[in-house]
Amino acid sequence: ILNVEQSPQSLHVQEGDSTNFTCSFPSSNFYALHWYRWETAKSPEALFVMTLNGDEKKKGRISATLNTKEGYSYLYIKGSQPEDSATYLCAPEKAAGNKLTFGGGTRVLVKP
Amino acid sequence: GAVVSQHPSWVICKSGTSVKIECRSLDFQATTMFWYRQFPKQSLMLMATSNEGSKATYEQGVEKDKFLINHASLTLSTLTVTSAHPEDSSFYICSASVQGRQRLYGYTFGSGTRLTVV
C-alpha cells in the first residue's frame, strides 16, 4: 500500500490570495501523478496528469509542479476565487493503466 | 468530455438486503472500471478493478462474494453489495478509463453513491 500524504488537510483562503499545498508520495516505481478537484455533490474532475520530473502544468489560475526524485508535488492556486473551493486530491500511479492510490485530500475554502 | 453516470446517488436499505449500484459511461467505451469506497474522514480506497468481459480483481481485504462486480459491456459496470450490514454504510464511487487515455486526461469519475444500511 502506497503512503500518500497531503498537507494541510484543510485551509481557508481569502478571496484574491494565492495558496499552495503539498502531495508526498513514494518515489520508487513512479509512473504518473494525478491531481483531481472534487467539489461537493459533484464528480472528481481531473486537473493534471504529470509524469516527468520537473514537470510543471497549468490550467487557468491553477498550476502544479512535480519532483519524482524526492516524491512530492505542489499545487498552486493564484488569486483564489470562491469557485476554487473544493477538495483537491492527488494520486500516484505506479504503472500504466494501473490503479491510483489517493491521498486524504486538501480541503480548500475560499472566503469572499 | 467523457461522462460517467452513477446511480443511485443515495440509497437506504435494510440490513440483510442487497443493493446494486450502476456506472455507465455515456460517451465513451470504458475498458476498465475502478470501484472505490470512502469512509468518513478517510481517503478514497480502491476496492476492485474490472475489465470488460473478465473477472474483477479485488484489493486485499475486500470480500469478492460480498461485493459483486459485473462489467458485462464497455459502457456498464455494476457493484452489488450483498447481504448489506451497517458496517457497509459508506460512499461508493466508480471511475473509468479508456485504454491509453488516462495519461492525457486522467480518469473519469461517477458522482458517487451514499449507502446507508439500517
Side-chain angles (χ1 to χ4, degrees):
Chain A
I1 298 176
L2 294 182
N3 186 24
V4 183
E5 299 285 340
Q6 288 189 249
S7 64
Q9 288 187 344
S10 65
L11 59 93
H12 290 188
V13 187
Q14 200 66 38
E15 182 177 358
D17 288 350
S18 297
T19 188
N20 64 83
F21 36 93
T22 310
C23 171
S24 300
F25 52 89
S27 57
S28 60
N29 299 320
F30 175 85
Y31 178 75
L33 192 281
H34 296 240
W35 278 102
Y36 290 84
R37 173 169 59 197
W38 195 359
E39 295 178 66
T40 302
K42 294 187 178 180
S43 306
E45 171 197 0
L47 286 174
F48 307 113
V49 181
M50 309 175 77
T51 56
L52 300 176
N53 185 46
D55 217 1
E56 181 171 343
K57 294 209 172 184
K58 190 175 180 181
K59 186 176 183 178
R61 294 178 290 97
I62 300 176
S63 61
T65 59
L66 178 66
N67 183 318
T68 61
K69 294 185 178 180
E70 296 183 41
Y72 65 84
S73 176
Y74 291 125
L75 193 132
Y76 301 87
I77 304 176
K78 184 178 179 181
S80 303
Q81 299 297 308
E83 58 263 31
D84 296 326
S85 296
T87 297
Y88 291 81
L89 301 172
C90 73
E93 183 179 1
K94 288 182 69 175
N98 209 332
K99 54 191 180 183
L100 303 182
T101 301
F102 282 89
T106 293
R107 187 173 180 179
V108 175
L109 179 61
V110 181
K111 297 181 287 185
Chain B
V3 176
V4 172
S5 176
Q6 183 170 347
H7 293 281
S9 55
W10 60 271
V11 59
I12 301 173
C13 71
K14 289 185 177 180
S15 187
T17 60
S18 296
V19 173
K20 180 184 284 187
I21 301 169
E22 289 190 351
C23 277
R24 291 181 184 272
S25 56
L26 299 185
D27 49 2
F28 69 102
Q29 294 183 325
T31 50
T32 304
M33 278 274 192
F34 300 90
W35 286 93
Y36 296 86
R37 179 169 55 182
Q38 185 181 39
F39 291 108
K41 299 190 184 300
Q42 295 186 22
S43 58
L44 290 173
M45 295 296 295
L46 181 67
M47 299 175 67
T49 303
S50 71
N51 292 293
E52 184 268 335
S54 61
K55 289 185 179 180
T57 302
Y58 290 81
E59 295 299 302
Q60 192 172 9
V62 178
E63 301 173 58
K64 62 180 181 181
D65 294 331
K66 181 170 185 61
F67 299 99
L68 300 179
I69 291 172
N70 186 289
H71 194 166
S73 77
L74 285 170
T75 59
L76 175 64
S77 178
T78 60
L79 167 67
T80 301
V81 183
T82 63
S83 186
H85 288 95
E87 57 266 30
D88 299 322
S89 298
S90 187
F91 182 80
Y92 295 86
I93 191 167
C94 63
S95 74
S97 73
V98 176
Q99 190 80 14
R101 277 185 53 147
Q102 66 274 9
R103 185 171 179 177
L104 289 175
Y105 304 110
Y107 293 87
T108 302
F109 281 81
S111 54
T113 298
R114 174 75 59 191
L115 170 64
T116 302
V117 185
V118 297

